[in-house]
Amino acid sequence: MNESKDFLRKIVEEDLASGKNREIITRFPPEPNGFPHIGHAKSICINFGIANDYQGHCNLRMDDTNPTKEDTQFVEALKDAVEWLGFNWGESVYFTSDYFPKLYEYAVELIKMDKAYVDSLDEEEIREYRGTVTEAGRRSKYANRTVEENLDLFERMKKGEFKDGEHVLRARIDMSADNMQLRDPLLYRIRHADHIRTGDEWCIYPMYDFAHCLSDYLEGISHSLCTLEFENNRDIYNWVLNTLGLTSSRPYQYEFARLGINYTVMSKRKLLELVKGGQVSGWDDPRMPTIAGYKRRGYTPESILTFCDQIGIAKANSMVDVAQLEFCIRDDLNTKVPRVLCVLDPLKVTIENYDGFEEIDAPYYPHDVPKEGSRKLPFSREIYIERDDFMENPPKGYFRLTPNQAVRLRHAYIISCKEVIKDSNGNITEIKAEYYPNSKSGSEDTSGIKVKSAIQWVSATEAKKVEVRLYDRLFVNEAPEGIEDINPDSLQVIKNALIEPAVITEKPDERFQFERQGYFYADPILYTDEKPVFNKIVSLKDSWAKKSETSKPTPKPQAKKVQIDGEVVAMNEAQKVLFDKYLELRLNSEVANTLARDEHLSKFYEEALSILNSPVNLANIVSNEVARELKQMEVSELKFSAKQIAELVKMIDNATISNKIAKQVFEEMVKTGENPTQIVEAKGLVQISDPAKILPILDEIIANNPDNVAKFKAGNTKLLGFFVGQVLKATKGKGNPKVVNELVGKRLQ
RNA sequence: UGGGGUAUGGCCAAGCGGUAAGGCAUCAGUUUUUGGUACUGACAUUCGGGGGUUCGAAUCCCUCUACCCCAUCCA
């Protein structure tokens, strides 16, 4: 289906193909300090999904290195979430705390290597000494303690001889590193606190940067996949493993963008605020973006999985539209759940010409859902319909019941309105109606009456009273900051909705479509037969509601953003001299500019120029191709020389090869450092300019692509490139593109 | 501001020098006893802006701009 793979899977496939890894082991490493949300679901899908795809394994690991924040209720929630989503972590759940003894040993090892030291600055001093993003930091005076002192101090830290914050263990890296994370990062801190698993066994705890890479290593993780904000931490990740010499079959870290959804908050801190502040009923409130919330609301694991699959994996920060998630759950439930009739806001209808009672056999599933099953729908003289489904003065385009418009009762008869009863305030309290006896739904309908819609209804005496909870988005703002953006109407509890009896007595499912309204879920906690409670999972799409909305205020003005160009740094004297000289050599000013501003490039260019007097072509290839290579390495590391470039350009100049071939040759030179002439000879890359040789190839291509020929002739000139490309491909790049171009143009005129 | 990232339709997202995939949303139309579903069609002459290289650039080079991350004893 979808052939394109995400960049992580590409990396994995390359590593497998190159033999770097034999087995793919990933891990999902949450900190048990909150309930997992849909962002975690994305991470779970990535880590478990990739492991599954490549017959590997994914560890579930609780990253429990901070005893003051973690709690066992969260480890349970995490396990629930993974399990509910359908993934299997195998034998056991891992805990970073299981590695505390090993981690301690590694720390001692670093101290012995003099790569770590005990610092005794206080918190504020440490911050101060770290410097800022623009200023280098300076090393603490404690950094020059001897290895013996450090060993002693660290051991005493472990023994509990010091108070919280008195000392920390730090890596000795570089206090002036551009990457702030490398400014002697903390490895261990003292925390006299009870840990959820180790209790009071430890009073020093490893920091994330130290514990994570080593835990990965210890578990034999091959690919450590995390979110973008850890990009800066990758350097320490590598430093720790490299410094400890843990380099064979070690893990590597790759980062992807975390999930953002509009009208939703996704940080654990903010979610915790909602829970603590009582804005929601708990972590599993159906309005919460937590896995527990979605589960409680009635989302299926499949729908979440599909969603994660649809949004893709990339490195660009993005904000996914909630509509995408809603689509996934609708799409899933559409083919799965029974349709039933429920009236949320009942309006009484008395069918004056109907006496008696009957049970109508009604299928649970519509014609387009291939599932079997039906129930009995009681029908009688008094029924209830949705208040919205009657209008005394309807707008045009209204399909439901009006004084002049009949409507079908779904699965039952067609009725028309005879009289509207109102109370003293003018509110409609009842409709007197008539039914058409020969209009019964199905083959029995011989009435010939055409109605515009069918509406839901329930029989007054048989209907069951149910509570229905309607949820709207928790926030009114597309990018909510916090509780100030909360939607005051996100929860609407309807105490007296009426539902057909089969739903309660037969219980054909726990999820239903209430016809014409949406999908609903029997609340797994509150639901009882005496007092049924349903959560709305999601509305059905409603093109009528959209149409009848008061004309939208936003046709959006949106002028195109004017982009202001910044100042370009001026050239210095030497550069200016070069620039002028290059202009005199008739170089394009942009090329001259590129060359003049880069010392290495200009030197390289001058050297090549001294060998071959072809200033323009040399300049072009140096400022483009050579510049690319020089971005990644020093001149001295280049495998090719200026002399070879001159040789290459010479072949372009005398038309032995085309620019296209030159690129191919250049690539080879980059890899092997071979002489261009040799490459051309060895590969037979001399270009073909003879039309007599090209024409037959072109004609064959034309014959094989009649569609594209037609399109081209119809004016789609973009296809010129297609034909040229095809010919070039057929000649393995040797066709002279200029000639080919001309020929295609002529041939297809 | 130093460093590290990222920019492709309203929202995601493929694409890696040769015809701008796909999904969501939107808009039309067909089917429909759910204003649902399904189906059909429309929806980027252009890839953050500007230059350059090339027969040909979203893709290569130069440059500018915008946004995100890093200065927790959090992860």
Side-chain angles (χ1 to χ4, degrees):
Chain A
M1 257 189 284
N2 189 6
E3 289 171 44
S4 58
K5 292 240 161 57
D6 58 82
F7 77 100
L8 293 176
R9 269 171 248 258
K10 276 181 199 150
I11 290 169
V12 165
E13 285 183 11
E14 274 169 32
D15 291 345
L16 243 19
S18 73
K20 179 174 171 185
N21 299 110
R22 268 204 210 143
E23 203 183 357
I24 300 306
I25 314 283
T26 58
R27 99 271 93 108
F28 171 58
E31 183 190 13
N33 67 344
F35 269 58
H37 50 67
I38 189 149
H40 290 94
K42 175 177 178 179
S43 181
I44 290 169
C45 288
I46 290 173
N47 281 294
F48 282 92
I50 288 180
N52 286 165
D53 283 1
Y54 299 96
Q55 290 80 48
H57 186 258
C58 178
N59 291 348
L60 171 59
R61 179 167 77 229
M62 300 297 160
D63 205 4
D64 54 350
T65 56
N66 186 352
T68 60
K69 290 193 177 173
E70 291 138 16
D71 195 292
T72 46
Q73 68 155 317
F74 301 131
V75 347
E76 290 312 310
L78 257 350
K79 284 157 72 178
D80 274 355
V82 174
E83 204 162 29
W84 184 68
L85 286 171
F87 294 107
N88 182 354
W89 57 77
E91 293 295 295
S92 59
V93 176
Y94 294 76
F95 290 82
T96 302
S97 53
D98 290 340
Y99 312 130
F100 282 172
K102 279 180 185 153
L103 261 14
Y104 180 81
E105 281 170 37
Y106 280 127
V108 168
E109 204 174 315
L110 278 183
I111 295 172
K112 285 182 180 162
M113 296 163 86
D114 204 22
K115 292 291 186 185
Y117 60 91
V118 173
D119 196 359
S120 309
L121 256 27
D122 66 35
E123 207 171 331
E124 200 169 313
E125 287 169 317
I126 286 182
R127 198 179 0 259
E128 229 178 274
Y129 277 51
R130 188 148 35 217
T132 68
V133 287
T134 48
E135 298 161 52
R138 59 205 149 96
R139 195 98 81 187
S140 159
K141 60 182 173 193
Y142 301 107
N144 45 35
R145 293 209 252 236
T146 64
V147 169
E148 289 68 33
E149 274 179 280
N150 283 323
L151 248 18
D152 174 59
L153 247 15
F154 187 50
E155 194 182 341
R156 288 164 58 199
M157 279 167 68
K158 182 192 171 205
K159 281 185 181 157
E161 290 185 23
F162 308 110
K163 289 202 281 289
D164 284 11
E166 248 180 284
H167 306 286
V168 291
L169 185 72
R170 301 181 74 171
R172 187 192 305 280
I173 307 182
D174 180 1
M175 285 307 288
S176 56
D178 284 326
N179 180 351
M180 295 293 293
Q181 310 276 9
L182 255 24
R183 320 254 258 228
D184 287 12
L186 273 62
L187 267 24
Y188 267 92
R189 76 293 217 185
I190 301 171
R191 274 287 129 91
H192 290 276
D194 249 31
H195 183 277
I196 51 167
R197 302 191 79 241
T198 60
D200 60 359
E201 192 183 337
W202 294 84
C203 62
I204 56 170
Y205 292 92
M207 302 290 289
Y208 166 85
D209 284 312
F210 187 63
H212 202 88
C213 51
L214 289 168
S215 304
D216 282 349
Y217 175 80
L218 259 10
E219 288 176 17
I221 302 299
S222 61
H223 298 260
S224 185
L225 313 175
C226 62
T227 44
L228 245 29
E229 65 269 27
F230 291 99
E231 256 170 337
N232 297 311
N233 300 57
R234 192 172 57 223
D235 286 340
I236 322 178
Y237 189 102
N238 292 334
W239 183 91
V240 172
L241 294 180
N242 290 340
T243 306
L244 286 168
L246 275 14
T247 47
S248 78
S249 70
R250 52 155 287 196
Y252 287 88
Q253 176 183 308
Y254 302 93
E255 310 86 12
F256 59 87
R258 66 190 309 162
L259 171 63
I261 298 185
N262 58 10
Y263 300 101
T264 308
V265 295
M266 209 74 97
S267 88
K268 275 196 256 184
R269 204 199 81 234
K270 286 179 183 169
L271 293 176
L272 182 65
E273 260 174 44
L274 293 172
V275 173
K276 282 197 171 161
Q279 272 81 18
V280 295
S281 64
W283 287 101
D284 70 341
D285 185 297
R287 293 164 295 176
M288 289 283 273
T290 51
I291 310 282
Y294 288 114
K295 182 177 170 186
R296 175 87 185 265
R297 177 139 172 190
Y299 272 73
T300 56
E302 292 85 346
S303 67
I304 306 277
L305 260 24
T306 317
F307 174 72
C308 290
D309 192 50
Q310 282 184 3
I311 56 173
I313 307 167
K315 291 195 74 161
N317 290 314
S318 56
M319 181 82 88
V320 176
D321 197 333
V322 274
Q324 187 107 24
L325 215 209
E326 291 174 350
F327 167 82
C328 291
I329 185 62
R330 274 193 211 107
D331 194 46
D332 187 35
L333 263 20
N334 175 44
T335 54
K336 286 181 177 168
V337 305
R339 270 62 168 176
V340 297
L341 304 183
C342 178
V343 174
L344 298 179
D345 186 8
L347 172 62
K348 186 172 168 187
V349 174
T350 305
I351 303 165
E352 296 191 297
N353 60 341
Y354 187 91
D355 279 304
F357 175 81
E358 64 186 291
E359 283 194 319
I360 298 167
D361 199 47
Y364 273 127
Y365 304 95
H367 62 94
D368 49 1
V369 172
K371 290 186 82 171
E372 297 294 322
S374 66
R375 81 292 193 181
K376 298 279 187 224
L377 264 178
F379 182 78
S380 63
R381 180 184 170 89
E382 273 187 16
I383 62 168
Y384 287 97
I385 66 167
E386 204 69 60
R387 193 164 284 275
D388 279 357
D389 288 340
F390 175 78
M391 272 188 115
E392 209 172 8
N393 301 299
K396 64 172 191 296
Y398 186 79
F399 291 170
R400 291 102 101 154
L401 188 66
T402 76
N404 306 308
Q405 184 168 266
V407 77
R408 169 164 312 272
L409 298 173
R410 170 114 249 231
H411 299 303
Y413 300 93
I414 294 172
I415 58 167
S416 59
C417 168
K418 288 295 152 205
E419 194 187 345
V420 181
I421 315 287
K422 296 178 183 173
D423 65 13
S424 53
N425 298 320
N427 298 319
I428 300 171
T429 54
E430 186 185 346
I431 304 289
K432 302 280 190 200
E434 256 176 23
Y435 87 114
Y436 300 88
N438 56 351
S439 69
K440 191 171 176 184
S441 187
S443 53
E444 293 165 64
D445 182 2
T446 56
S447 67
I449 303 170
K450 288 273 174 280
V451 289
K452 292 207 171 88
S453 76
I455 61 173
Q456 69 271 31
W457 56 276
V458 291
S459 172
T461 44
E462 287 77 16
K464 306 279 188 193
K465 196 173 88 175
V466 293
E467 179 174 321
V468 175
R469 299 180 169 198
L470 306 180
Y471 304 103
D472 198 357
R473 47 181 63 135
L474 234 194
F475 295 95
V476 287
N477 196 317
E478 186 164 356
E481 293 290 330
I483 48 176
E484 65 274 18
D485 294 316
I486 222 158
N487 174 8
D489 305 316
S490 61
L491 170 63
Q492 190 192 344
V493 179
I494 297 176
K495 296 273 186 192
N496 298 311
L498 295 172
I499 202 161
E500 56 165 294
V503 175
I504 311 298
T505 56
E506 285 183 17
K507 289 196 185 61
D509 205 334
E510 46 197 13
R511 292 185 183 84
F512 299 90
Q513 185 194 104
F514 292 177
E515 291 212 35
R516 304 209 307 135
Q517 305 198 101
Y519 294 98
F520 292 80
Y521 182 52
D523 189 287
I525 295 170
L526 301 175
Y527 186 100
T528 60
D529 282 349
E530 293 67 44
K531 193 197 164 207
V533 178
F534 288 95
N535 294 322
K536 178 158 109 178
I537 306 167
V538 68
S539 291
L540 248 31
K541 264 175 70 171
D542 187 349
S543 47
W544 168 246
K546 216 176 285 167
K547 226 179 274 180
S548 57
E549 250 174 53
T550 42
S551 62
K552 283 184 183 164
T554 46
K556 64 181 169 184
Q558 183 198 10
K560 240 195 177 174
K561 258 188 206 156
V562 191
Q563 186 148 277
I564 302 151
D565 273 13
E567 290 280 301
V568 179
V569 185
M571 280 190 246
N572 64 30
E573 277 308 306
Q575 293 171 337
K576 190 86 177 81
V577 171
L578 275 178
F579 180 72
D580 288 341
K581 177 182 159 196
Y582 293 158
L583 285 188
E584 267 171 49
L585 289 170
R586 327 241 2 195
L587 301 197
N588 167 302
S589 78
E590 199 57 40
V591 174
N593 188 44
T594 306
L595 254 27
R597 282 172 181 275
D598 189 309
E599 203 188 333
H600 301 296
L601 277 187
S602 53
K603 255 172 110 180
F604 193 98
Y605 174 59
E606 302 272 341
E607 197 185 333
L609 194 58
S610 70
I611 298 160
L612 178 73
N613 185 27
S614 176
V616 175
N617 280 350
L618 273 176
N620 286 343
I621 205 158
V622 171
S623 72
N624 285 288
E625 314 304 314
V626 177
R628 177 173 57 243
E629 299 308 314
L630 244 29
K631 275 205 281 196
Q632 297 156 42
M633 57 183 90
E634 299 293 312
V635 183
S636 56
E637 296 172 291
L638 255 28
K639 289 201 175 164
F640 57 89
S641 64
K643 185 169 167 250
Q644 288 172 317
I645 294 298
E647 198 178 316
L648 179 67
V649 169
K650 194 170 178 185
M651 284 189 285
I652 300 174
D653 285 348
N654 63 28
T656 308
I657 60 172
S658 63
N659 273 298
K660 193 181 177 83
I661 295 173
K663 288 216 175 184
Q664 262 185 68
V665 176
F666 180 77
E667 266 174 48
E668 197 63 29
M669 290 163 64
V670 168
K671 270 189 258 170
T672 64
E674 232 179 304
N675 272 345
T677 354
Q678 274 168 5
I679 297 171
V680 170
E681 270 172 31
K683 302 203 168 185
L685 288 175
V686 177
Q687 74 175 331
I688 306 166
S689 302
D690 183 1
K693 284 185 182 153
I694 295 170
L695 231 32
I697 299 167
L698 174 58
D699 285 337
E700 195 184 333
I701 288 162
I702 288 175
N704 289 338
N705 293 280
D707 290 0
N708 283 341
V709 173
K711 275 194 226 165
F712 183 87
K713 288 189 174 165
N716 189 348
T717 48
K718 280 182 292 189
L719 257 13
L720 183 73
F722 165 76
F723 288 106
V724 175
Q726 291 295 308
V727 174
L728 254 26
K729 206 177 197 176
T731 57
K732 297 205 171 77
K734 288 185 284 184
N736 181 331
K738 279 186 197 164
V739 176
V740 174
N741 234 310
E742 263 171 49
L743 290 175
V744 172
K746 270 190 210 157
R747 214 51 170 186
L748 289 178
Q749 241 163 33

